[in-house]
Amino acid sequence: MSQNVDNIQPSYPLFRNDEYKESLGNKRANFEEMHPAEKIQEVFEWTTTPEYQELNFQREALTVNPAKACQPLGAVLCALGYEKTLPYVHGSQGCVAYFRTYFNRHFKEPIACVSDSMTEDAAVFGGQKNMFDGLENAKALYKPDMIAVSTTCMAEVIGDDLNAFIGNSRKEGHIPDDYPVPFAHTPSFVGSHTTGWDNMQEGILRYFTLNYMEGKEVGSNGKINIIPGFETYLGNFRVIKRMLAEMDVPYTLLSDPEEVLDTPADGQFRMYAGGTTQDEVKDAPNALDTLLLQPWQSDKAKKFVQNTWNHDVPKLNIPMGLEWTDEFLMKVAEVTGKPIPESLAKERGRLVDMMTDSHAWLHGKRFALWGDPDFVMGMSKFLMELGAEPTHILCHNANKRWKKAMDKMLSESPYGQGATVHQGKDLWHLRSLVFTDKPDFMIGNSYGKFIQRDTLHKGKEYEVPLIRIGFPIFDRHHMHRDTTLGYEGAMYMLRTLVNAVLERLDEETRGMGTTDYNYDLIR
Ligand code: SF4
């Protein structure tokens, strides 16, 4: 074979070598029972038509290319944000391998997460024994200060009761009585990764505060609490901390995985790093108030904080773009009595300057987008602030109230008039939409590359370029370090969007002596 130790090649270009081409060709000819190329092309063309779209949108019982992940994945991310906490999933090992690799590929970091490896016998007799051994082993081997337990489909289908199992683990002496094991049931056949994050957050808050409210007094610690929701942009943790520091506002971030997802390569492996401490959670009811950064995906935590801690939890939108960052900072100022400093006012002014500089290129550009409910809402709002036009807005894991709020927001802007909101739809639906009503660009996660590829296959004039903002992003490096929140995040996104437009323009106008006639160096 042409692969050898002196010249090791990755799959590309290796598979373009003659012997691989021949081998793959033989496999295709002799074993794949493939349809003729003309037939494949005919079906491909059919799937790009309005007729196919109509059929596609009649799908009820089948999801193709979901634009969401499952609940325990979110629960794991939430648990990672707590100090010396080991996420533990009660259920099948394969699920946990999937969560770990999903985060590995996105963050390019090792992810600590264990399972109690339920197999056939546990599926029949219940997984209590797995949990006895699992909790004891995980504590002994990895020495966490807390184990946060969630569940996979298998444990949920057979109805395993985490409260009882963890209680029995204590009774039987597998874990000490006072050892923290908060938990959340995270059935994957309902909700999504954002629901799982919310469930685990509520589980942790409940564990440390529900029965310990005596002596707690709203406002007595002078802090505000921030609940980030399922957040994968590390820059967003940093920008929120920076803005609050500039306002001189003490705060507690309830789940802060910024450190553990970004450990340095200095020869020392850190299974745990940073994170919200148990003491901070216990003290959180004493804060002035709790603010949600992603309110459409934090229902359970919100209810708990309102009902148990008696916090107002004011109605806010995700602090994305200009107006909603203003709104967030003004609310922080109102709750804490601290003024917004000159440094942030200046930063805001710089963003406005950038928006003015770039608006001519973004005005009227049409974007299809997808992602989690708050991200999609914030991104649509920001696009309209830029004079760009969201066209097809898709969210697989939002509810009907969200759709109503989206429709209202879009109807209030001249730039939202051509938009359609698709709630509960998947990326195969989006594929149809970009063929029948072509936007200039798509904004979303890495999976959009297959849609871009398909549109290009139909012809260059049909191609819809993908702008990668969202989760997961596997096929580009380090984008999870960016920022999407606050004025700083808006600057990043604006830079990304306008440069995608200019990049495309360059691509379309580089014909020597034909299309290369103006603006080459002054855009
Ligand atoms: S959907 Fe269920 S089976 Fe699949 S990874 Fe998630 S928990 Fe596991």
Side-chain angles (χ1 to χ4, degrees):
M1 289 304 232
S2 48
Q3 185 74 293
N4 68 64
V5 73
D6 298 323
N7 180 23
I8 293 177
Q9 301 171 22
S11 57
Y12 177 78
L14 182 71
F15 292 169
R16 302 311 301 152
N17 291 349
D18 285 345
E19 57 193 307
Y20 279 93
K21 278 205 261 183
E22 192 190 334
S23 158
L24 292 170
N26 285 341
K27 178 169 158 277
R28 183 163 279 189
N30 299 326
F31 302 107
E32 286 186 2
E33 296 179 10
M34 219 173 123
H35 289 286
E38 309 76 57
K39 184 71 190 168
I40 292 174
Q41 185 59 25
E42 185 192 321
V43 173
F44 171 83
E45 289 293 343
W46 174 62
T47 63
T48 68
T49 60
E51 295 73 44
Y52 180 82
Q53 178 174 309
E54 214 179 306
L55 288 173
N56 193 9
F57 272 72
Q58 285 171 25
R59 263 192 294 134
E60 281 179 7
L62 175 72
T63 296
V64 186
N65 293 352
K68 60 176 183 176
C70 68
Q71 280 211 43
L73 180 110
V76 168
L77 181 66
C78 181
L80 286 168
Y82 285 89
E83 189 188 48
K84 281 202 85 179
T85 297
L86 184 66
Y88 176 118
V89 185
H90 176 57
S92 349
Q93 203 167 9
C95 303
V96 176
Y98 149 59
F99 308 146
R100 280 193 302 247
T101 55
Y102 221 65
F103 287 133
N104 289 154
R105 287 186 286 162
H106 181 78
F107 293 109
K108 323 291 182 211
E109 284 286 317
I111 301 295
C113 177
V114 295
S115 92
D116 52 22
S117 303
M118 285 172 67
T119 49
E120 290 82 350
D121 55 338
V124 175
F125 301 112
Q128 178 161 266
K129 193 171 170 324
N130 296 58
M131 186 159 266
F132 286 172
D133 294 343
L135 287 176
E136 189 171 338
N137 288 339
K139 182 173 180 303
L141 279 170
Y142 304 116
K143 303 187 175 33
D145 286 350
M146 159 159 108
I147 296 178
V149 182
S150 54
T151 48
T152 69
C153 294
M154 188 211 260
E156 289 298 325
V157 167
I158 60 174
D160 276 2
D161 180 350
L162 290 184
N163 192 28
F165 286 9
I166 294 167
N168 292 341
S169 302
R170 295 190 199 282
K171 264 191 229 148
E172 302 272 329
H174 299 286
I175 42 167
D177 273 348
D178 58 351
Y179 183 75
V181 185
F183 64 88
H185 283 276
T186 47
S188 299
F189 30 83
V190 288
S192 72
H193 55 290
T194 60
T195 330
W197 194 99
D198 188 33
N199 282 339
M200 181 50 88
Q201 177 71 287
E202 196 246 14
I204 292 172
L205 303 184
R206 176 180 292 273
Y207 182 88
F208 286 106
T209 64
L210 182 67
N211 298 320
Y212 307 96
M213 286 303 293
E214 214 180 300
K216 301 276 157 66
E217 195 188 330
V218 175
S220 58
N221 71 9
K223 293 178 166 183
I224 57 168
N225 300 323
I226 303 283
I227 296 187
F230 186 93
E231 175 57 72
T232 52
Y233 277 99
L234 300 184
N236 285 343
F237 295 98
R238 289 167 184 157
V239 75
I240 294 293
K241 290 176 189 177
R242 176 175 66 75
M243 291 195 298
L244 294 177
E246 286 182 34
M247 288 183 76
D248 193 25
V249 168
Y251 61 87
T252 301
L253 254 174
L254 290 165
S255 181
D256 177 9
E258 181 215 320
E259 281 283 318
V260 77
L261 296 175
D262 199 18
T263 57
D266 56 4
Q268 182 200 343
F269 170 63
R270 297 162 176 83
M271 182 174 256
Y272 311 107
T276 311
T277 66
Q278 293 179 22
D279 284 344
E280 284 175 311
V281 189
K282 290 175 192 162
D283 187 40
N286 292 323
L288 293 157
D289 211 335
T290 299
L291 307 186
L292 310 174
L293 296 185
Q294 303 196 72
W296 286 101
Q297 51 200 59
S298 308
D299 274 353
K300 260 188 128 171
K302 178 181 175 187
K303 262 190 212 134
F304 181 82
V305 168
Q306 284 178 325
N307 296 339
T308 310
W309 299 358
N310 285 321
H311 286 192
D312 280 348
V313 191
K315 199 171 161 2
L316 278 174
N317 292 295
I318 184 171
M320 261 174 105
L322 189 68
E323 191 182 328
W324 286 355
T325 301
D326 291 351
E327 187 187 271
F328 173 77
L329 292 175
M330 288 190 292
K331 184 54 77 181
V332 172
E334 183 191 317
V335 171
T336 61
K338 299 270 175 87
I340 298 171
E342 184 53 30
S343 58
L344 289 176
K346 234 184 196 171
E347 192 176 328
R348 181 186 194 278
R350 290 189 183 117
L351 170 62
V352 174
D353 188 43
M354 287 173 69
M355 290 166 74
T356 318
D357 293 342
S358 300
H359 91 276
W361 294 109
L362 288 164
H363 181 93
K365 282 277 174 295
R366 299 170 78 246
F367 293 85
L369 63 150
W370 73 94
D372 290 340
D374 291 282
F375 165 76
V376 162
M377 190 178 266
M379 195 71 215
S380 303
K381 170 81 176 161
F382 185 49
L383 285 172
M384 293 191 292
E385 288 178 340
L386 295 168
E389 295 177 16
T391 56
H392 292 288
I393 305 170
L394 186 135
C395 186
H396 205 163
N397 49 344
N399 57 28
K400 288 196 177 124
R401 276 188 303 116
W402 173 88
K403 180 173 178 339
K404 235 171 127 186
M406 281 292 297
D407 285 338
K408 182 165 179 297
M409 181 184 84
L410 293 160
S411 72
E412 287 165 356
S413 164
Y415 305 108
Q417 301 305 310
T420 318
V421 179
H422 305 274
Q423 169 240 337
K425 300 294 182 227
D426 58 39
L427 291 183
W428 194 252
H429 290 116
L430 188 77
R431 179 184 179 279
S432 276
L433 293 167
V434 300
F435 273 120
T436 56
D437 180 22
K438 182 182 175 297
D440 295 305
F441 295 90
M442 295 180 283
I443 300 173
N445 60 28
S446 285
Y447 293 116
K449 78 188 293 175
F450 302 111
I451 301 179
Q452 176 173 358
R453 223 176 258 181
D454 279 9
T455 54
L456 177 63
H457 181 72
K458 191 172 165 80
K460 187 67 183 165
E461 68 275 28
Y462 295 95
E463 185 185 16
V464 183
L466 169 66
I467 299 173
R468 287 165 177 79
I469 309 179
F471 171 85
I473 295 176
F474 293 149
D475 60 339
R476 294 291 183 275
H477 278 210
H478 311 310
M479 291 173 84
H480 62 275
R481 310 178 63 81
D482 285 359
T483 310
T484 59
L485 301 185
Y487 303 130
E488 181 188 313
M491 290 176 187
Y492 267 105
M493 288 191 296
L494 168 54
R495 192 194 65 186
T496 305
L497 296 176
V498 75
N499 286 330
V501 170
L502 295 176
E503 196 76 47
R504 190 70 179 169
L505 199 65
D506 270 346
E507 198 185 324
E508 286 168 358
T509 57
R510 61 186 172 204
M512 206 180 279
T514 53
T515 56
D516 60 343
Y517 38 77
N518 61 1
Y519 297 134
D520 259 358
L521 288 178
I522 51 166
R523 280 168 181 152

